[in-house]
Amino acid sequence: MKFFIDTANLNEIKEAYDLGVLDGVTTNPSLMAKEGIAGKEKVIAHYKAICDIVDNNVSAEVIATDFEGIIREGKDLARIDDKIVVKVPMIKDGIKAIKKFTSEGIRTNCTLVFSSGQALLAAKAGASYVSPFIGRLDDISQDGLELIGQIRHIYDNYGYGTEVLAASIRHTMHLIKCAEIGADVATCPLKVIMDLLNHPLTDSGLAKFLADHKKANS
Ligand code: G3P
C-alpha cells in the first residue's frame, strides 16, 4: 500500500519523508490556501518545493472547471516536474480532460469522488488515481469504507489500472480498513501516519525492557 501525505505544509512533508515510508503527496486548493500560497508564481514555486522533497507522486489540483481551462492549467502544472500528477475534479469537463491528459501521457488524479459510478467513469477515462473521500461520506452518515470496497470490486472485475486512492482519511482505523479492503493508496494527515506507531503495550513493554536492562547493568 502506498502512503501519501495530504498536506501542502513543507515541514510535515519533510517529517513524513524522513520516516522513510512516504510515497507521495496530495494537495488541494484548501490545503494550499491554509499555507497562504496564492498567485500563480507562488503556487508553482510551492509545488516545485514539494517535488524537491519527495521521490514521486505529487498531486496538484487545477482550479479551472471548463475543458480548455483544465487542459491549460494541467499542462502548466505537469511542466513543473515529472513527479506531478494533475488532480482534476469529478465533473463532465474533468472526465473529458482526464481522457485527453491520459492520451498525452500526463498522469491524473480524479478527485471529489463520492460514488462507485463516478469511480467507474474515472477509470474509463484512464485516470491514474481515483480519490474517494471517506471522511466526508462518514460526515453525512454514509459509509465511506463501503465505497472503497465497491470501487475495489468493480476495478478488479475489469482489471482497470486506475489506482484507488482513499482520501479524506481521519484516523488510523480508516487507514487500516482501507489496507484490508485493498485500496492501492491512502492519503492522510501526518498525525494519522504517526498514530500508526502507537500502542500502550509497546510503551509499557519498552519501559520494562529498559528498566530490566538498567537493573542488570547497575
Ligand atoms: O485532499 C482531499 C481529501 O483528502 C480532503 O480531506 O479531511 O478535507 O475531507 P478532508
Side-chain angles (χ1 to χ4, degrees):
M1 185 188 215
K2 289 182 203 159
F3 278 12
F4 290 177
I5 188 166
D6 198 27
T7 183
N9 182 284
L10 298 181
N11 291 329
E12 290 183 359
I13 294 167
K14 276 186 202 127
E15 191 176 339
Y17 185 78
D18 285 348
L19 190 62
V21 300
L22 193 68
D23 302 293
V25 179
T26 52
T27 63
N28 62 41
S30 302
L31 293 171
M32 292 291 275
K34 194 174 161 195
E35 299 306 314
I37 311 299
K40 194 175 174 183
E41 276 172 27
K42 277 195 179 160
V43 166
I44 288 175
H46 198 75
Y47 281 132
K48 185 65 192 151
I50 294 175
C51 289
D52 287 345
I53 298 172
V54 298
D55 299 330
N56 202 350
N57 304 312
V58 176
S59 280
E61 188 160 342
V62 298
I63 305 299
T65 54
D66 64 294
F67 178 75
E68 280 79 17
I70 295 171
I71 295 295
R72 196 168 44 246
E73 213 183 314
K75 286 187 174 177
D76 284 348
L77 291 169
R79 261 192 292 274
I80 297 171
D81 197 293
D82 287 346
K83 297 173 189 173
I84 292 284
V85 177
V86 179
K87 202 171 178 188
V88 180
M90 164 44 73
I91 52 175
K92 189 175 173 186
D93 281 17
I95 288 297
K96 287 162 70 176
I98 286 170
K99 178 82 183 172
K100 182 156 174 63
F101 285 136
T102 304
S103 74
E104 296 182 11
I106 293 173
R107 293 183 295 159
T108 55
N109 173 355
C110 184
T111 189
L112 289 166
V113 165
F114 294 94
S115 76
S116 48
Q118 291 178 324
L120 183 54
L121 266 181
K124 292 279 294 172
S128 316
Y129 298 99
V130 65
S131 289
F133 281 28
I134 301 176
R136 292 193 194 184
L137 277 172
D138 288 359
D139 288 346
I140 59 160
S141 301
Q142 288 186 26
D143 189 345
L145 286 166
E146 190 181 341
L147 176 61
I148 301 296
Q150 289 166 345
I151 298 171
R152 177 76 282 152
H153 185 77
I154 291 169
Y155 283 9
D156 288 348
N157 277 349
Y158 299 98
Y160 286 122
T162 301
E163 293 189 52
V164 181
L165 195 172
S168 187
I169 287 181
R170 303 275 165 78
H171 44 72
T172 53
M173 191 55 84
H174 270 157
L175 199 160
I176 292 160
K177 289 286 174 198
C178 282
E180 286 177 8
I181 293 165
D184 300 287
V185 191
T187 189
C188 38
L190 178 64
K191 182 181 184 308
V192 176
I193 297 174
M194 293 303 177
D195 280 352
L196 288 176
L197 289 163
N198 300 333
H199 197 287
L201 291 178
T202 305
D203 298 340
S204 58
L206 182 59
K208 172 116 178 61
F209 285 159
L210 295 180
D212 289 346
H213 174 82
K214 195 174 172 189
K215 220 185 292 170
N217 288 276
S218 59

